[in-house]
């Protein structure tokens, strides 16, 4: 609860209820880099009553690191891409680094004393942290959690020092001053954090990581039900208030057809699989 996936699921549920004339219940199933919720959806009755808000963590990264009892490409049918958000390098206020250069200097002065949190092994947060280590040569230890909201508790308290979180999850803590944003991991700055540089601007070029959120349904759901879900979801995503809420999370609202999203889903699965093999990323 309180993470980016939960925020987006509740926003959709609020709009789906009047559109379909029935209540929608949000059930959080955190853990295993979003694959527990995906497993439940993949094995649910194929009647369209179980929907999954998934990310590229669960769809494209974790399947290459965790042994699953379902196929994320074959057993889940894409409905719509909802939003793409940057990952943002955040630290707690106790760290005291002014910028990325300052943080790297601190890490080099005390190697292996810094820890970075993620929402789970194989998450975009995890891969961003490993990519940062490769790009800068710093040494820090990965601490996985069952979702961003759990990681935030320890990050704010000072038990861990660093996180490459999604803006959708971290924005509230950044705005409140509990976390300090040092850089975003996208080619350009986000409108919600205009004063936060990109990693390239901070002196680390060629390093990018974004997280997308998409809606899926159990494969085998009747075609007319899938078509209705696609139609209603796209109507909702075009609403001005929904667009404003997604941009408020630091995200870029989607503008894809369901066919384009299905191609993205499959392409990301292949791209991250190649990256994981080449970088030799494994579960600790």
């Amino acid at each position: 609860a309180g993470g980016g996936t939960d925020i987006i699921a509740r926003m959709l549920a609020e709009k789906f209820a009047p559109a379909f004339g029935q209540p929608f219940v949000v059930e959080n199933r955190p853990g295993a880099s979003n694959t527990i919720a995906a497993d439940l959806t993949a094995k649910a009755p194929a009647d369209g009553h179980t929907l999954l808000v998934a990310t590229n963590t669960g769809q494209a990264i974790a399947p290459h690191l965790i042994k699953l009892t379902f196929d994320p490409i074959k057993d889940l049918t894409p409905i719509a891409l909802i939003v793409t958000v940057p990952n943002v390098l955040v630290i707690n206020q106790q760290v005291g680094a002014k910028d990325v250069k300052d943080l790297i200097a601190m890490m080099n002065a005390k190697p292996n004393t810094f820890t970075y949190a993620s929402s789970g092994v194989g998450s975009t947060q995890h891969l961003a942290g490993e990519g940062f280590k490769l790009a800068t040569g710093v040494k820090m230890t990965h601490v996985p959690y069952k979702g961003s909201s759990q990681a935030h508790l320890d990050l704010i308290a000072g038990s861990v020092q660093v996180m490459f979180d999604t803006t959708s999850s971290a924005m509230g803590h950044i705005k409140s001053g509990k976390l300090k944003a040092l850089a975003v991991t996208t080619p350009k700055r986000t409108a919600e954090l205009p004063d936060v540089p990109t990693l390239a601007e901070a002196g680390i070029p060629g390093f990018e990581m974004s997280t997308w959120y998409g809606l899926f349904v159990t494969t085998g759901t009747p075609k007319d039900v899938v078509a209705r879900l696609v139609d209603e979801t796209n109507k909702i995503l075009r609403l001005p208030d929904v667009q404003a809420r997604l941009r408020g999370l630091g995200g870029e609202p989607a503008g894809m057809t369901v066919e384009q999203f299905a191609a993205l889903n499959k392409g990301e699965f292949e791209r991250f699989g190649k990256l994981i093999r080449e970088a030799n990323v494994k579960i600790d």
Side-chain angles (χ1 to χ4, degrees):
T5 308
D6 177 63
I7 291 168
I8 289 167
R10 291 184 188 283
M11 178 193 72
L12 289 176
E14 179 187 305
K15 299 293 185 181
F16 276 147
F20 287 92
Q22 64 185 67
F24 280 71
V25 177
V26 175
E27 184 178 352
N28 289 303
R29 291 294 185 101
S33 298
N34 297 5
T35 59
I36 292 175
D39 182 89
L40 183 149
T41 308
K43 296 171 183 175
D47 54 13
H49 287 151
T50 303
L51 300 171
L52 171 72
V53 176
T55 69
N56 48 348
T57 288
Q59 285 298 110
I61 301 173
H64 299 287
L65 297 168
I66 300 171
K67 187 174 181 180
L68 303 177
T69 58
F70 71 98
D71 186 318
I73 302 299
K74 295 179 180 178
D75 297 336
L76 295 167
T77 294
I79 297 297
L81 178 67
I82 301 165
V83 67
T84 301
V85 300
N87 282 52
V88 57
L89 169 55
V90 290
I91 58 173
N92 59 47
Q93 294 296 348
Q94 297 97 304
V95 173
K98 301 187 295 295
D99 51 31
V100 174
K101 185 178 179 181
D102 198 23
L103 178 65
I104 292 171
M106 288 181 174
M107 289 179 166
N108 285 332
K110 295 182 178 180
N112 291 317
T113 59
F114 278 75
T115 53
Y116 76 96
S118 81
S119 63
V121 172
S123 62
T124 55
Q125 294 99 319
H126 177 200
L127 288 191
E130 291 302 305
F132 184 77
K133 286 163 62 177
L134 286 171
T136 61
V138 299
K139 295 181 179 180
M140 57 179 179
T141 303
H142 176 219
V143 182
Y145 289 83
K146 288 184 177 180
S148 290
S149 56
Q150 290 188 19
H152 292 162
L153 295 174
D154 278 1
L155 182 61
I156 292 168
S159 301
V160 289
Q161 294 79 41
V162 178
M163 188 172 183
F164 286 84
D165 202 8
T166 56
T167 52
S168 53
S169 293
M171 191 65 75
H173 294 311
I174 294 169
K175 297 286 189 183
S176 70
K178 291 179 181 177
L179 295 176
K180 182 176 181 178
L182 297 184
V184 292
T185 61
T186 41
K188 61 180 183 179
R189 297 189 184 198
T190 174
E192 288 298 308
L193 298 170
D195 298 327
V196 177
T198 65
L199 270 179
E201 291 173 329
I204 307 170
F207 178 86
E208 297 174 14
M209 183 67 69
S210 297
T211 298
W212 55 252
Y213 295 82
L215 189 68
F216 293 79
V217 71
T218 311
T219 293
T221 298
K223 289 184 178 179
D224 61 327
V225 176
V226 172
R228 175 87 191 280
L229 284 167
V230 170
D231 185 52
E232 293 294 345
T233 304
N234 284 328
K235 285 180 185 176
I236 288 167
L237 292 176
R238 288 193 291 268
L239 294 173
D241 65 317
V242 170
Q243 295 251 322
R245 286 168 77 177
L246 293 174
R247 287 199 169 93
L249 297 173
E252 185 63 36
M256 283 187 176
T257 65
V258 65
E259 292 81 11
Q260 289 170 329
F261 177 42
L264 171 71
N265 183 49
K266 189 170 185 295
E268 287 273 277
F269 179 87
E270 293 168 353
R271 180 174 77 89
F272 277 109
K274 184 172 182 285
L275 173 65
I276 287 165
R277 288 190 298 273
E278 289 178 349
N280 197 32
V281 176
K282 295 186 188 323
I283 293 178
D284 296 333

